[in-house]
Amino acid sequence: MTKSSTLNRDTEAIAYQLPQPAGMIADLLVPGGAQIDCDERLWVPQGENVWFRPVSFAPGQGFYINYLRVRGAGVLSRHRHNGAVHAFTHRGTWRYLEHDWVATPGDYAFEPPGETHTLVIPDGVSEMITLFFVTGGYVYVDPHGKAMGYEDCFTKMAAAREHYAACGLGADYVDRLVVGG
């Protein structure tokens, strides 16, 4: 163990005494942010049998983090990413038509900027929940790449505000999920 990784209760249990870097944004703690079995009102409807649960929005940093929940099998969407995506599967399975792998609970997947793929929930899957860390946004496309729509941090925030206002949490509930907010 190095000195920096050992705990010396007499000298190391002292808060950092200097100012943080100039211009640094505020940190963020989202109580219960990693819970997927939670208040149903936190799940924002996105389509038939599809919801997302925001964990954080970082409009000034160009990313957002959310859980995606799908109940039932089928093709969810075809989309092209303009930034990197990191995905951690918690429940169920999912795959992309363009790849031969299947994501199962405990798996991590990396999706590179520029990739276009078609998200599928296989037959027999009653519920899929995956945590996605999305940099930038993505464009929904047809099989030949024609743009059909898009999603990014701003569209996700707007959908969450509308849903939270309607379900009684209040539109300002989103504010507690904004990095640097």
Side-chain angles (χ1 to χ4, degrees):
M1 240 186 225
T2 65
K3 170 105 173 97
S4 63
S5 64
T6 60
L7 180 62
N8 181 326
R9 296 190 190 284
D10 295 331
T11 61
E12 297 298 319
I14 299 170
Y16 184 64
Q17 299 297 300
L18 299 176
Q20 297 295 340
M24 186 182 91
I25 62 173
D27 60 355
L28 174 70
L29 173 68
V30 179
Q35 296 174 350
I36 53 179
D37 296 316
C38 57
D39 185 339
E40 276 298 312
R41 297 177 301 165
L42 296 174
W43 291 94
V44 180
Q46 185 169 313
E48 186 177 346
N49 298 318
V50 180
W51 301 261
F52 72 93
R53 179 179 177 229
V55 174
S56 67
F57 297 110
Q61 306 299 310
F63 72 87
Y64 64 93
I65 302 170
N66 69 194
Y67 287 99
L68 178 67
R69 178 175 72 186
V70 182
R71 290 193 170 144
V75 175
L76 185 61
S77 72
R78 182 182 309 98
H79 54 276
R80 175 180 302 120
H81 292 280
N82 61 27
V85 174
H86 304 270
F88 300 87
T89 306
H90 288 264
R91 285 191 186 145
T93 61
W94 59 278
R95 65 185 187 92
Y96 291 125
L97 291 179
E98 296 77 12
H99 296 291
D100 60 1
W101 52 261
V102 175
T104 63
D107 288 350
Y108 161 78
F110 170 74
E111 303 172 14
E115 181 171 272
T116 303
H117 44 233
T118 310
L119 178 58
V120 174
I121 310 304
D123 288 337
V125 176
S126 60
E127 181 178 63
M128 181 280 288
I129 298 178
T130 298
L131 179 67
F132 287 96
F133 181 111
V134 181
T135 305
Y138 44 91
V139 178
Y140 293 111
V141 297
D142 73 9
H144 304 287
K146 181 180 176 187
M148 313 278 291
Y150 72 95
E151 281 192 315
D152 60 18
C153 187
F154 302 102
T155 62
K156 290 289 205 184
M157 285 177 70
R161 279 189 195 285
E162 182 178 342
H163 170 70
Y164 292 155
C167 77
L169 290 173
D172 61 346
Y173 187 88
V174 168
D175 298 338
R176 66 182 73 188
L177 306 176
V178 176
V179 174

